[in-house]
């Protein structure tokens, strides 16, 4: 890495309702593949693109903290949990940019499905001035320009970079597709198991499962 480069900081947002091994493995692989200095987990308070989580923000934040406690490369930001208004990505990144300064490269981690719908997000084009985007997709299913809606396809063509090393050369603005192992684990399935009294053990960390049981979360709740 050139002397002028700064190791990027990864940003991983989500409802984490609840956090599970799929999230953790994705973050671990992204940290290594992208050469990140760390990954900042940002649990969303009120996500604007989906129904509000049924579990209180403080519980989801506590579960994320338990899940990442053993990894020195993971940190947790509680900023979105303290907000009553929707957790827009551009607002979160603006706050992190102010905290990290103008030179620190930031890399927003997002799945290919979410990226495909990026043009519907609030002030989506401003995101490129605040962070790079690492678009995580399944191996063998590359991100293709012709599958993206306009004007997102134009942004993808103009901003696509050659590899992870390029992310350290500027604070924001690049798009990097990255094949990533995605474990077949979903929070929806975990909530369904818990709602009917079945065990989700080995789908999420024991510490998180103990917390869920201790606080009787997700019990007898309909799972949309």
């Amino acid at each position: 890495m050139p002397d002028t480069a700064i190791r990027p900081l990864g940003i991983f947002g989500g409802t984490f309702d609840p956090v599970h091994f799929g999230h953790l493995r994705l973050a671990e692989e992204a940290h290594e593949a992208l050469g990140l200095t760390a990954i900042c987990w940002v649990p969303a308070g009120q996500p604007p693109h989906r129904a509000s989580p049924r579990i209180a923000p403080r519980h989801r934040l506590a579960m994320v903290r338990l899940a990442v406690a053993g990894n020195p490369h993971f940190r947790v930001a509680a900023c979105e949990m303290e907000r009553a208004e929707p957790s827009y990505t551009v607002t979160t990144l603006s706050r992190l940019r102010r905290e990290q300064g103008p030179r620190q490269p930031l890399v927003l981690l997002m799945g290919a499905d979410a990226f495909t719908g990026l043009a519907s997000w609030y002030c989506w084009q401003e995101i490129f001035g605040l962070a790079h985007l690492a678009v995580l997709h399944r191996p063998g299913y590359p991100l293709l320009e012709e599958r993206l809606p306009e004007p997102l396809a134009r942004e993808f063509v103009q901003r696509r970079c050659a590899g992870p090393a390029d992310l350290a050369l500027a604070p924001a603005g690049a798009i990097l597709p990255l094949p990533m192992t995605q474990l077949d684990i979903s929070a929806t399935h975990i909530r369904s198991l818990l709602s009917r009294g079945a065990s989700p053990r080995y789908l999420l960390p024991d510490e998180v499962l103990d917390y869920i049981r201790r606080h009787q979360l997700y019990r007898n709740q309909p799972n949309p």
Side-chain angles (χ1 to χ4, degrees):
M1 185 177 294
D3 293 340
T4 56
I6 303 174
R7 290 183 66 189
L9 173 66
I11 309 298
F12 188 24
T15 54
F16 304 121
D17 186 29
V19 62
H20 54 68
F21 284 131
H23 298 130
L24 291 161
R25 182 59 199 171
L26 184 150
E28 178 71 7
E29 285 195 26
H31 174 266
E32 183 174 0
L34 298 174
L36 304 175
T37 183
I39 290 182
C40 183
W41 294 60
V42 187
Q46 300 295 328
H49 299 289
R50 57 187 298 178
S52 297
R54 297 174 181 272
I55 299 304
R58 64 183 179 88
H59 288 310
R60 290 186 290 112
L61 177 62
M63 288 188 286
V64 171
R65 284 175 167 161
L66 287 170
V68 308
N71 192 318
H73 303 299
F74 292 167
R75 63 183 71 163
V76 182
C79 54
E80 293 306 315
M81 293 294 175
E82 302 161 357
R83 296 166 56 87
E85 59 269 26
S87 301
Y88 291 111
T89 299
V90 68
T91 305
T92 302
L93 290 174
S94 295
R95 179 178 298 190
L96 292 170
R97 172 57 66 198
R98 290 192 298 271
E99 293 175 358
Q100 298 297 323
R103 297 183 62 242
Q104 172 64 55
L106 301 179
V107 182
L108 178 65
L109 308 178
M110 63 189 312
D113 290 345
F115 179 75
T116 300
L118 183 65
S120 67
W121 292 17
Y122 175 70
C123 295
W124 69 278
Q125 289 175 311
E126 294 183 19
I127 291 174
F128 297 116
L130 298 167
H132 302 299
L133 271 62
V135 184
L136 314 178
H137 61 87
R138 293 182 183 276
Y141 296 88
L143 195 63
L144 301 176
E145 171 195 351
E146 55 267 27
R147 297 179 182 175
L148 300 175
E150 292 286 355
L152 182 58
R154 292 195 302 270
E155 296 286 356
F156 178 66
V157 171
Q158 294 171 3
R159 298 179 180 277
R160 182 171 183 171
C161 64
D166 292 343
L167 302 178
L169 302 178
I175 299 174
L176 177 66
L178 187 68
M180 188 72 56
T181 302
Q182 296 182 13
L183 302 182
D184 191 15
I185 301 174
S186 76
T188 300
H189 179 55
I190 292 172
R191 293 195 302 269
S192 177
L193 291 172
L194 290 165
S195 70
R196 62 178 189 265
S199 172
R201 193 176 184 189
Y202 306 123
L203 297 177
L204 68 175
D206 287 344
E207 296 85 355
V208 174
L209 182 55
D210 289 344
Y211 184 94
I212 289 171
R213 288 172 170 166
R214 186 164 65 251
H215 293 274
Q216 300 184 14
L217 305 180
Y218 305 106
R219 292 181 60 184
N220 302 316
Q221 289 189 350
N223 188 31

